[in-house]
Structure formats: C-alpha cells, structure tokens
Amino acid sequence: ACGGSEPDRELLVSWTENQILPRYADLVTRTEALHTAAQFLCATRDASTLQAAQDAWRAARKPWKEAEVVRFGPYKEFPLRLGPKMDFWPARIPQLDEILTSSDAIDANTLGASQEGFPASEYILFPLAVEFLDDPGIDRRCDYLTLLTNKLIARAVAMQEAWLPESGNYQSEFVDAGISSEAFETVNLAVSEIVNRMAFTAENAVRDKLGKPFGVETGSPPPERAESPYAERTIEDLQDNLRGIEAFYFDGPDYVGLETYAGPYNEEMRSRLDAAQAAVSSINEPFADAVFDQQQEIEAAMDRLTELQAWVQVDIIEGLELTPKFNDTDGD
C-alpha cells in the first residue's frame, strides 16, 4: 500500500486479545457490580446506596462505550443482535412509564429492546427522571431495576461468550479472515471493518449524539434525544468512544495497533484525535443546558469530529488500500 505496510493478521490477533476480549470481560464484571448495587439500593433505600448504584451504572458504561468500534458481528447480526438490546436510545419514556404504572407482572422474556438495557435502567435509577427514593411505586421500580440489571449481565455474558473460542468463537471469524472465516473473505476486509467503524463512530457522534439533541434536524434543541441524559454522561460517553478509537489505532507498550502499519498518517491522526477529544471535553454537563449555553463549543466539537471522520474515511482507508464501507447504523 502506498501509505504504509499492509496490515496483516497480527493486527487482528492484537485487536482481539488486547482490545475486544478484555473490554467485554470488563463489561461482565461491571454489570455484575451494577446488579449488586441495585440490589443493595432496593434493600436499603437511602442516599448512599442510591449514589453507589448510580456510580455503578456510570462505570458499566465505560467498556461498552470504548468498544463501540466493534459494532459488527454479535453486536449487529441476528440471531444475537445484542447491541440494540443493551443500548437502545434515546429511551422511549412512554413505554417505560407504562411498565412502571402497570400492575401486571414484569416478564423479562417479553421486554422489547426499548424496554431494557442501559437507557431503561438509567431512567429508573437517576433522579433527573424520577425521585427514586420518594416515588410511591418504589417496590415496582425496584423490581424492574433489578430485573433490568440482571438482564444486562446476561447480555454482557452473551457478548463475551459470542467472541470466546470455547463458545461462540466469533474471534475465529475475525482472526481467521481469509482462511476459514465466513464473515471476512480476506484480512483486508476484517481490518477494514474496524477502521471504517472508527470513522462511523465519529460520524454517529456528529449526527446522533451531538447533532440531534442540538437541534440540527429540528431547528430547536430537543435535549432529551441525547445519549445518557439522566445520568449526565452524554459527554463522557463520547469521550469513551474516542478513547476506544485511540486504543484500536495506536500501539501500546506490548500490543500492536493500526499505527504500526499507517506510518505516514499517524502524526495527523494524533493531531485530529487530540483536537476532537479536546473539543468534546470543553462541553459541560448537563448537556441539556449545554445545547443552549455552549452552542459554539458544540459546533466546534462537531467540526473536529467531522475532520477526524474524513481523515480516517478518506486518507487512511484509501492510503492503506483498505475497503470502504457504508455506515449501517440504525440509531440504536
């Protein structure tokens, strides 16, 4: 390739062993901690257990958001399609309120994607949506919350097991591209999947995570369209997305990233990623206030993210002779 050396299977192995599998293992651990914290909250309903449960929810988001460049395979594809089941946003509040106000038993097996996952549990847990401890339906809320956090564990375990060689073995589909993989006919296509999704992550941030709640489509801000609005984690979600791009792109002390193969592009990638991270970090929470009070900062962040997207999608993908793809995001 004209831009650097051709990425090879070593990169796929490194991404899997050093980025994908550890993050999904961490996700399992953190969702388990969230469920435990939810149980403590519902057993001892006070400010300290509420804070602990909220902190655990925020912490569980970190590995999930950092792994957003892995929006393929078990994340997107049937029959698992775990991504929307874990993170269908923005929350559909009328559907959640219907469950909370009903007297019918909550059946975990009949919940739709919009009635479970991180956004649903966020709406129940954070007092920006409800005053949890004073709510007259506290028992109902606790039943729903603990059910949701238990399902989050099950989804996280399913994602981890889908990749592990001793169970679903999607790891082999990825690492053995061009050998025995049905998903990727060549190593180039497997590498291209991740690199394209670096660009898509930036594109989705501009369109969905900043643009829609900022009012780009509607002309006036609907901040409820933001990601993680009740937990006031909108910006940290984005920061985690960018940290994920950084981890997959740049080499570590004992692992290989795309940096090894993209020599002429690394300095500019570092500059554009740093600029995007700084611009995003300049936006304050709550984002519902920022859409009115920090419009210049939001516009600057969207510009820097668009520049990052273009650098990856045009310069790096073309320079390394990777295969461009269309963004297949469906808003979940």
Side-chain angles (χ1 to χ4, degrees), residues 18-269:
N18 297 294
Q19 303 299 334
I20 299 171
L21 293 180
R23 279 183 172 77
Y24 287 148
D26 191 22
L27 179 66
V28 171
T29 299
R30 293 184 185 223
T31 52
E32 290 172 342
L34 169 59
H35 181 59
T36 298
Q39 290 177 310
F40 276 125
L41 167 61
C42 291
T44 307
R45 299 165 187 173
D46 59 31
S48 64
T49 56
L50 176 60
Q51 185 65 57
Q54 291 172 343
D55 290 346
W57 187 93
R58 292 187 179 99
R61 294 286 280 175
K62 180 176 173 58
W64 179 246
K65 292 288 104 180
E66 288 181 344
E68 199 145 304
V69 296
V70 195
R71 288 174 58 115
F72 60 90
Y75 188 111
K76 278 282 190 183
E77 295 170 8
F78 293 100
L80 292 177
R81 194 167 163 76
L82 291 164
K85 296 172 184 176
M86 295 186 71
D87 204 13
F88 187 101
W89 66 273
R92 303 301 195 258
I93 303 305
Q95 295 181 23
L96 302 181
D97 283 342
E98 183 178 355
I99 293 175
L100 289 171
T101 57
S102 173
S103 59
D104 296 338
I106 306 173
D107 185 352
N109 296 317
T110 62
L111 295 178
S114 63
Q115 298 168 315
E116 63 172 291
F118 279 110
S121 55
E122 177 197 12
Y123 176 69
I124 295 172
L125 186 56
F126 285 85
L128 285 179
V130 292
E131 291 295 340
F132 186 98
L133 300 178
D134 298 328
D135 190 275
I138 184 66
D139 291 334
R140 179 75 171 184
R141 305 194 79 86
C142 275
D143 289 345
Y144 193 17
L145 176 64
T146 53
L147 180 151
L148 289 176
T149 55
N150 194 48
K151 284 201 77 172
L152 271 173
I153 297 173
R155 302 300 191 196
V157 169
M159 183 69 84
Q160 180 188 38
E161 289 183 345
W163 277 85
L164 288 172
E166 60 267 27
S167 45
N169 201 22
Y170 196 82
Q171 173 180 342
S172 178
E173 283 293 303
F174 188 60
V175 170
D176 293 336
I179 300 175
S180 58
S181 173
E182 296 181 3
F184 303 103
E185 294 182 357
T186 65
V187 170
N188 179 289
L189 287 174
V191 172
S192 298
E193 184 73 53
I194 290 284
V195 181
N196 274 281
R197 290 189 185 277
M198 292 180 186
F200 298 160
T201 298
E203 180 182 6
N204 296 341
V206 172
R207 184 189 62 229
D208 298 329
K209 302 188 178 194
L210 294 178
K212 287 183 179 179
F214 187 46
V216 169
E217 293 183 346
T218 60
S220 60
E224 68 277 3
R225 294 293 304 273
E227 187 175 30
S228 306
Y230 305 114
E232 296 186 0
R233 204 187 188 279
T234 302
I235 299 306
E236 192 172 351
D237 280 356
L238 257 179
Q239 290 170 327
D240 286 337
N241 291 163
L242 293 173
R243 279 190 283 266
I245 293 174
E246 183 175 37
F248 277 82
Y249 188 97
F250 290 100
D251 299 344
D254 54 2
Y255 64 85
V256 170
L258 187 65
E259 178 183 11
T260 291
Y261 303 93
Y265 301 97
N266 294 336
E267 184 176 351
E268 186 67 19
M269 179 65 179

